[in-house]
Amino acid sequence: MTRPDHDRGGAPGTDVRRLVLYFDGASRGNPGPSAYGVYSPSGLRVAEAIGQATNNVAEWRGFVAALKAAVEAGAKDVEIRADSQLVVLQFKGVYRLRARHLLPYLEEARRLSQSIASLRVVHVPREENREADALANAALDRQRSIGDEADRTGRP
């Protein structure tokens, strides 16, 4: 598994009161090689290739990563934005989560959200989520180039 790339910006331990985050998941095939990306205009960047998964798993992993980043930053007022209407509405309870394999992600998201005083989860158009999408796809590209290198050398 590829290690997450973290660029949090600012000094470690900085008390962030308000934080806006975007997340996206990407899958090349469904299932296929997958990754997620989390972006904040304040400088935070997280991207991780997660191996073979569905797009829904990649989206949920991105949402959980965004929540973890907010909790780790100590943010009190958080807005998380995504173009995944399914994840946003399942988290809010508007849509029922029917795919049982996604339940652990919903439970983790709910647990993490309890550590944030004010949380808004907002659906945005795809055009507004380009940075998170680019991070997810860059993680997929890195995973692929590592895989291609292993194929050429015979080493993992």
Side-chain angles (χ1 to χ4, degrees):
M1 175 162 64
T2 304
R3 293 187 60 211
D5 295 328
H6 296 276
D7 177 6
R8 300 204 180 275
T14 302
D15 185 22
V16 178
R17 297 286 177 201
R18 185 170 194 312
L19 186 60
V20 175
L21 295 162
Y22 295 81
F23 77 85
D24 202 7
S27 182
R28 296 184 182 154
N30 203 19
S34 299
Y36 64 80
V38 177
Y39 161 81
S40 174
S42 66
L44 182 139
R45 310 250 187 300
V46 179
E48 182 179 8
I50 59 173
Q52 295 287 313
T54 64
N55 190 61
N56 287 343
V57 167
E59 295 279 2
W60 270 103
R61 295 271 310 261
F63 182 43
V64 168
L67 286 164
K68 283 181 182 178
V71 169
E72 288 172 9
K76 307 297 181 213
D77 180 15
V78 177
E79 183 169 305
I80 297 179
R81 302 173 182 171
D83 61 24
S84 174
Q85 187 174 24
L86 182 70
V87 170
V88 169
L89 294 179
Q90 284 177 333
F91 177 73
K92 290 181 172 185
V94 175
Y95 288 174
R96 204 173 74 205
L97 189 131
R98 293 186 179 152
R100 305 310 283 162
H101 69 284
L102 299 175
L103 186 57
Y105 303 114
L106 174 61
E107 290 171 344
E108 178 74 356
R110 287 187 175 151
R111 184 187 68 74
L112 288 164
S113 70
Q114 291 177 2
S115 299
I116 301 169
S118 176
L119 174 64
R120 289 166 311 287
V121 182
V122 180
H123 177 257
V124 297
R126 188 170 189 76
E127 306 81 55
E128 291 182 30
N129 207 31
R130 288 188 179 150
E131 290 88 353
D133 179 67
L135 287 169
N137 278 289
L140 278 173
D141 292 343
R142 281 191 304 277
Q143 177 182 349
R144 183 175 180 179
S145 68
I146 291 168
D148 290 347
E149 180 62 26
D151 288 345
R152 283 194 294 278
T153 64
R155 290 175 289 169

